[in-house]
Amino acid sequence: MRLQQIIQPKLLNAQYERQTIGRLIEEVRCANSLQVGTGSLSSFTAAGPTNAQAGNALRIYTSTNTSQYIYYFHDLATATVQRVPFQSTSPVIIASAVTNDTIFMMEDFAGNALTNSQNDAVMSLLLQFYVASAWQGVSDSAQVHTKVTRRNIL
């Protein structure tokens, strides 16, 4: 019985992680362009042309119209990653108990962090979770690290 109580949170974490990043991965694959930077619900600042292309926020442009995008950001105050859909101002929490702030990074094909925007960049996602258990004194941590590139690189 105790072994099941210890293993159960790990299985639930794995399922939660797959659900959390599945939609994000598909949106990045279908994107026209990506922009990484720092932001909150009310603001976004893209990483500068000579700065590391990393931050807590990601804009996914699905067309060449730069006023239409899907927006992901990490809210440090609530330890959540939130998604703001097209033409909406209401965020949806997609991950909670996220402990790292820099969750998005643009890399080259070899995994080196970029310091400028490139059309063929690979988006790296790193989410680190802290998960408390219902079992007294037991908690768990989990990490999801994945890399995704757009399908329609021109």
Side-chain angles (χ1 to χ4, degrees), residues 66 91 122:
T66 58
V122 176

Side-chain angles (χ1 to χ4, degrees), residues 3-22:
L3 181 62
Q4 182 182 3
Q5 290 174 332
I6 292 172
I7 294 173
Q8 184 70 23
K10 294 185 181 301
L11 294 174
L12 292 174
N13 286 347
Q15 178 183 0
Y16 174 70
E17 292 160 8
R18 280 192 303 276
Q19 292 170 347
T20 298
I21 64 170

